[in-house]
Amino acid sequence: LQEVVNALQAEGVEAAAVSLLFTFGNNLHEEVVAEALAPLKIPISLSSRVLAEYREYERTSTTVINAYLAPLMGAYLNRLGDRLENTRVRVMQSNGGAVRARTAAELPVHTIVSGPAGGVVGAFHVASACGYSNVITFDMGGTSTDVALCEGSISVTREAEIDGLPVGIPIIDLHTVGAGGGSIAELDAGGALKVGPASAGAEPGPICYGKGGERLTVTDANVILGRLPERFFLGGTVPLAVDRLAPGISRMAWTRRWTSIHSLAQGVIDIVNNNMEQAVRLISVERGYDPRDFTLVCFGGAGGLHAAALGRALAIPRVVVPQFPGALSALGLLLSDVRKDYSKSMLIPAEDAEATIRRELEVLHRSGQRDLKGEGFEKKSMRVVDSLDLRYRGQSYELTVPFTRGFVSNFHKMHERRYGHSDPARPVEIVNVRSAFFGRAPKIRFPKMRKTQSKAKA
């Protein structure tokens, strides 16, 4: 071990990740390694602290990503905390909850999709205020679209990937496609029109920005079709260079296949709408949900332009458009509760396991109460949600089921809906027990507005 420490010191490493094979059950050796690495004075990520769960590959991958982020995120958040010493600073996490800045500095992997997560929190809150609990959130920005399905609550997954690497931490169950206002339209290798995932970005951006952009984008198509008025873009603060669209498009040889600039623009819109429709189908139809039972909540800079077409294509009966859709993700950050997640791998038969489960949950509850107290919450203001990762014996992956008296029968029902079959006679195995602790943050109260109704002109 000392030879390894000497080698790392000679290389001048910035951070270290430590992941040993069975530390989800016994973390003693990882703590010994951490003690040996302490003289290097670098961020050290232990898998037993980052993700103390069964499956060494996912645990190691998550720990390495945490170590990769730690020098930059840790330095920034610690510096921010020092400068705002007398102010309560919290950072959004990927699970839809917030934590203290210093906690996020130690475990930055928990913040990797915090922006989109804030959008889901904001959208679900607005939908709930409107009286809708089953919602599909639709966040279309400049480079991508994020969609999520919430059936009565915000759904969290532990099977996410970042650049092809598995991340085993709790993350709001989002699906992302490269479809945004800046997505570029071009021909693929077979000569068919495609849109995205390449994006023009903000600089130079779409042609209509007048900053030198030379590639047709979704925003340009919306301007051509009159869906974005040139004089009122961004509240009238940014005039659109509409006069550059036709000359710019005429310079693209491939665009001559269309009879008019308007038919080309409509083709771009149809394709990007189809891409987003497929994303919504993936999180709904392919998982056993009927989109007709949900309300579509659209936000992001471009969401309102495409929500009606998306709702029509999926037969979604209602579309909710917030008053300030471009700021909804920021609203979600303000509304998010403090959240802490805890887990323990068990790998035991589910039969007659309730007493064992409760013993393990008591340990997790003590950790959760201690940590939330450190966040400034009293025990009476904490909310706890317990769940189990279950699978049929012999399977490789699990489903997360709330810990209730009939958790095994609920697992069979969930398996039936997700995969189209179940086997109540087959033994069920408990892989992990989980506890999520919530500290309720103050909520913004929205004033009620008078209802108005307008009739479409013939």
Side-chain angles (χ1 to χ4, degrees), residues 356-369:
T356 305
I357 294 169
R358 293 192 182 279
R359 282 197 300 272
E360 294 294 347
L361 286 175
E362 286 180 8
V363 177
L364 300 184
H365 288 182
R366 286 196 292 271
S367 297
Q369 291 167 6

Side-chain angles (χ1 to χ4, degrees), residues 16-149:
V18 181
S19 181
L20 305 181
L21 193 57
F22 292 108
T23 48
F24 66 87
N26 185 340
N27 67 343
L28 175 62
H29 288 170
E30 281 196 353
E31 295 293 343
V32 170
V33 175
E35 185 177 349
L37 292 171
L40 298 181
K41 299 188 184 305
I42 58 175
I44 301 168
S45 299
L46 303 185
S47 73
S48 54
R49 299 178 188 175
V50 176
L51 185 69
E53 293 183 14
Y54 156 76
R55 287 202 179 92
E56 65 274 9
Y57 180 73
E58 287 81 353
R59 176 159 45 89
T60 301
S61 173
T62 306
T63 306
V64 170
I65 292 172
N66 192 78
Y68 176 81
L69 295 170
L72 181 64
M73 286 284 289
Y76 172 76
L77 291 173
N78 285 327
R79 187 166 64 248
L80 183 67
D82 290 340
R83 293 188 179 185
L84 301 174
E85 186 175 0
N86 298 321
T87 305
R88 186 176 61 191
V89 180
R90 288 203 169 105
V91 178
M92 189 69 179
Q93 299 180 105
S94 305
N95 61 12
V99 289
R100 289 182 302 174
R102 298 210 181 271
T103 303
E106 295 172 3
L107 296 171
V109 68
H110 286 271
T111 68
I112 48 180
V113 290
S114 55
V120 176
V121 172
F124 186 75
H125 184 86
V126 168
S128 298
C130 296
Y132 307 124
S133 58
N134 288 354
V135 300
I136 294 173
T137 67
F138 168 52
D139 178 6
M140 184 178 180
T143 59
S144 64
T145 291
D146 300 303
V147 294
L149 184 143

